Amino acid sequence: MSETIYTVGVANEALSRWIEKSNFSPGDKLPSERDLCHLLNVKRMTLRQALLNLESESKIFRKDRKGWFITPERFIYSPDSSSSFSISAKAQNREPTWEYLTKEKTNDYEEGINDIFFQGDRYPVYMITGWGGFGGTQSILS
């Protein structure tokens, strides 16, 4: 049996190398912490610190009660762009989700909106708030 790893730095390197050699795809689930401890011959608290270090480097992420996963490539989107969230997501091979939080009718908006949409007349508009994301995870609030 090989010697147990005690330092977080060494555990971090061992875990990083193992992840790279394992050819995981973005979104893949890592084995349980218990299995990783046995696989890498690491104490549980040392492994947890190594996992948190990789999470801070955005290499992995954790879902509560579900485990650790390989981080997908960064999603690039600017709310100021003329492209919608949904179109940007699909262009980056992601399946977007969207959910409305509030929808209210209002007359309280900037005067310039009248000229653009209503030729100077004042009509009520809907103020809509919602979130967009991937796989039920909220990524953007609009």
Side-chain angles (χ1 to χ4, degrees), residues 49-72:
Q49 190 59 51
L51 289 165
L52 291 171
N53 287 346
L54 291 180
E55 182 181 39
S56 73
E57 296 171 11
S58 298
K59 292 182 179 178
I60 61 175
F61 68 97
R62 178 179 52 187
K63 287 184 181 179
D64 285 341
R65 302 243 186 257
K66 295 197 189 293
W68 292 92
F69 297 81
I70 302 298
T71 303

Side-chain angles (χ1 to χ4, degrees), residues 72-88:
E73 290 183 36
R74 182 178 291 265
F75 176 65
I76 300 168
Y77 174 70
S78 171
D80 295 333
S81 75
S82 60
S83 178
S84 74
F85 175 79
S86 181
I87 290 170
S88 294

Side-chain angles (χ1 to χ4, degrees), residues 75 84-97 134:
F75 176 65
S84 74
F85 175 79
S86 181
I87 290 170
S88 294
K90 288 177 182 174
Q92 295 177 53
N93 297 319
R94 306 273 181 108
E95 191 57 43
T97 56
F134 312 105

Side-chain angles (χ1 to χ4, degrees), residues 11-75:
N12 199 47
E13 284 299 314
L15 182 57
S16 290
R17 278 195 308 275
W18 181 81
I19 288 172
E20 287 173 18
K21 283 195 284 186
S22 298
N23 292 324
F24 284 107
S25 296
D28 283 354
K29 186 179 186 300
L30 294 177
S32 70
E33 288 183 14
R34 180 175 289 143
D35 290 345
L36 285 172
C37 285
H38 291 296
L39 183 72
L40 300 172
N41 201 22
V42 179
K43 298 269 184 201
R44 186 82 177 258
M45 293 310 295
T46 305
L47 175 72
R48 280 218 177 126
Q49 190 59 51
L51 289 165
L52 291 171
N53 287 346
L54 291 180
E55 182 181 39
S56 73
E57 296 171 11
S58 298
K59 292 182 179 178
I60 61 175
F61 68 97
R62 178 179 52 187
K63 287 184 181 179
D64 285 341
R65 302 243 186 257
K66 295 197 189 293
W68 292 92
F69 297 81
I70 302 298
T71 303
E73 290 183 36
R74 182 178 291 265
F75 176 65

Side-chain angles (χ1 to χ4, degrees), residues 102-107 109 118 123-129:
T102 62
K103 180 175 105 173
E104 64 181 72
K105 205 176 202 180
T106 182
N107 284 314
Y109 54 88
F118 309 122
Y123 293 98
V125 296
Y126 282 99
M127 188 76 123
I128 299 172
T129 305

